[in-house]
Amino acid sequence: MLTRSATYPDRETAQWATQQVVTANEQAVHRWLAQGTRARLTIEAAWPSRAEPVGRVQLEAELGEFYAIPDTGMPQPEIGNWLMVLADHLKKSIEEGDVPEPASPQTHWEWHTRFPETAQLLGGWFSQDIVDEFPDHAAALADYAATTHPQLVAHLVGELHELLALPLDEGDYALAAAELGMEVGPPEPFSYGAWFQSAATTLSSV
């Protein structure tokens, strides 16, 4: 049993984009269905000509796995050359031990690459549809914990601790939440940072 939903400006766009995204990521969807690590999979739909994703497709089933879909913003024919340059830089960095200091993510892609499981939680459980699915934030968090493989929950807790260790202020936490797919504010009386800390503490005890 597989159901799908999407966040787009109108039904026609949503239906077209959902089919395009599912078809384009057919192998990832099949692996998700086969590996049994989570009940929901959220995939962002992006095109090289667009700086930001145009929407998200969420699939629900009995099983699942997440595979990030980066968008470099480059024309398709140029991506191969870009990957070769990137590989050279990585090789040089490994051989010479020249590793840049850790820094806060600056782009949408960087946020999702560094915090993939946080993006799954926020995009899949804390979208604008939360009010139709769960009575409150605590119930949504409990559903995530109950339907996600324990190893992924542990990975999320680690990501949240890493996020909280970054030199961010409350505005930065709000930006992080938005970049990672959260479409609702934190529950009263929490700030974004305090809610991230509360979520990490709650999931650590699961």
Side-chain angles (χ1 to χ4, degrees):
M1 181 64 181
L2 178 66
T3 60
R4 62 184 71 174
S5 61
T7 56
Y8 292 92
D10 57 71
R11 177 176 290 275
E12 182 178 354
T13 301
Q15 290 175 338
W16 177 85
T18 298
Q19 187 58 52
Q20 293 295 314
V21 172
V22 170
T23 300
N25 298 281
E26 184 175 1
Q27 291 185 354
V29 172
H30 283 306
R31 287 192 292 265
W32 166 62
L33 290 170
Q35 293 188 12
T37 50
R38 72 163 56 80
R40 296 182 180 197
L41 173 69
T42 300
I43 303 174
E44 288 191 339
W47 280 264
S49 60
R50 297 290 296 272
E52 298 294 334
V54 297
R56 287 197 304 273
V57 173
Q58 180 175 292
L59 306 179
E60 293 191 45
E62 304 259 331
L63 310 169
E65 180 55 81
F66 173 78
Y67 293 84
I69 305 171
D71 177 13
T72 65
M74 301 175 64
Q76 191 71 25
E78 298 179 15
I79 292 178
N81 290 334
W82 175 78
L83 288 173
M84 292 300 295
V85 172
L86 179 61
D88 288 340
H89 282 295
L90 289 174
K91 181 175 182 291
K92 183 174 183 292
S93 177
I94 292 171
E95 290 176 347
E96 299 180 2
D98 182 18
V99 180
E101 292 292 325
S104 300
Q106 298 298 309
T107 67
H108 182 83
W109 181 82
E110 288 176 352
W111 281 108
H112 279 252
T113 300
R114 190 158 174 184
F115 301 104
E117 192 59 28
T118 305
Q120 281 297 303
L121 170 69
L122 299 184
W125 277 262
F126 293 93
S127 69
Q128 59 191 354
D129 296 327
I130 184 176
V131 295
D132 299 322
E133 296 188 65
F134 307 106
D136 52 31
H137 288 62
L141 198 63
D143 183 77
Y144 167 84
T147 59
T148 303
H149 193 283
Q151 290 182 351
L152 288 176
V153 176
H155 187 74
L156 170 65
V157 171
E159 287 187 6
L160 290 175
H161 283 302
E162 181 181 354
L163 177 63
L164 291 164
L166 293 174
L168 305 178
D169 58 25
E170 185 54 29
D172 295 326
Y173 285 129
L175 173 64
E179 291 283 7
L180 293 169
M182 191 171 185
E183 296 178 340
V184 295
E188 294 291 344
F190 292 101
S191 64
Y192 283 97
W195 183 71
F196 285 144
Q197 181 64 66
S198 174
T201 300
T202 299
L203 292 173
S204 294
S205 61
V206 171

